[in-house]
Amino acid sequence: MTINQKLVDLLRWYQDLGISVAVGGGPANHYAPLRTLVPKASFTKREEPPIKRPLAAAALTPSPPVLPSRLDLSQCETLGALRRALEDFEGCALKKTATNLVFADGNPKARVMLVGEAPGADEDRQGFPFVGVSGQLLDRMLATIGLDRTSVYITNIIPWRPPGNRQPTPQEIAACKPFVERHIELIHPEILVLVGGIAMKTLFNTNDGIMRLRGTWKSYASPGLKSPIKAIATYHPSFLLRSPGQKAQSWQDLLMIKRALGAG
């Protein structure tokens, strides 16, 4: 029997025993002392990676914006000072995405002050409130009761356009609310008209909807006002463009404003 044949027979014998995998690169002497079969392991000191400790919670949580206090804004005794305070304000991120600050339009000595919601694309581009399609409708609505931009004063809750004309967030409204409150105090109109649901909810401090509260006289007050102001909420012109069937109710609101001016 040749050597090759012996190897073949040995392999077959291993296979019959169920040995099918070679676990070493060469033959092992199973009669040698055990210590020679297991080589002494060599251990080298390994550099342990530095422990990554979690950052403190304060570092992970962005700092809330610093909102202006009533005391700070009470120092704004003119509209120019209030505008400069808004231009310097960094507590609302909308400022970084807007083109212009939309402060106000109209006559500061007017008997009627209108407060809308937030600028749109046209307002952001021109820097004045209610100059787009909604503003054109508002002008026509005011004209039906003998008012125009020389006899009213107009501003918004939010002075910067939200991207994509989305609704402002509660945080953005909270950041801007002290400014519009001071704005109203400086104008101190006879009649305050809140145009749209956001303006109504913000200044009436309510969660009720505009359909429930529009067309009802209320009293608006703030710490900087010497006396409360007669206030009323009405639909936003953009809502009327989408729902023209509601124009009749807006007409009733306008007649209430006209009668109040006549009585005054």
Side-chain angles (χ1 to χ4, degrees), residues 30-49:
H30 296 283
Y31 296 99
L34 185 60
R35 60 182 177 83
T36 63
L37 296 178
V38 183
K40 184 178 181 181
S42 59
F43 295 93
T44 58
K45 188 175 180 180
R46 186 175 58 182
E47 292 288 337
E48 293 293 337

Side-chain angles (χ1 to χ4, degrees), residues 185-203:
E185 292 168 1
L186 290 173
I187 299 298
H188 204 301
E190 293 180 28
I191 295 176
L192 181 64
V193 182
L194 308 182
V195 185
I198 291 178
M200 182 203 72
K201 291 181 179 181
T202 301
L203 296 178

Side-chain angles (χ1 to χ4, degrees), residues 114-226:
L114 289 82
V115 180
E117 298 180 349
D122 293 313
E123 290 78 12
D124 181 49
R125 184 166 51 253
Q126 299 183 41
F128 293 99
F130 286 98
V131 293
V133 177
S134 295
Q136 295 169 15
L137 176 57
L138 179 63
D139 288 342
R140 294 196 296 270
M141 293 168 62
L142 294 173
T144 61
I145 58 172
L147 299 176
D148 58 21
R149 300 264 173 159
T150 65
S151 53
V152 298
Y153 187 81
I154 308 174
T155 188
N156 281 312
I157 295 291
I158 304 293
W160 297 285
R161 180 197 179 196
N165 290 354
R166 63 162 174 78
Q167 285 195 349
T169 66
Q171 293 76 18
E172 293 163 351
I173 293 173
C176 299
K177 183 178 178 180
F179 290 98
V180 74
E181 288 176 336
R182 184 58 182 160
H183 210 152
I184 296 171
E185 292 168 1
L186 290 173
I187 299 298
H188 204 301
E190 293 180 28
I191 295 176
L192 181 64
V193 182
L194 308 182
V195 185
I198 291 178
M200 182 203 72
K201 291 181 179 181
T202 301
L203 296 178
F204 281 171
N205 294 314
T206 180
N207 289 323
D208 290 336
I210 184 73
M211 291 187 176
R212 180 177 179 182
L213 295 185
R214 56 139 292 276
T216 302
W217 287 111
K218 291 188 174 296
S219 180
Y220 173 80
S222 67
L225 285 173
K226 296 181 180 179

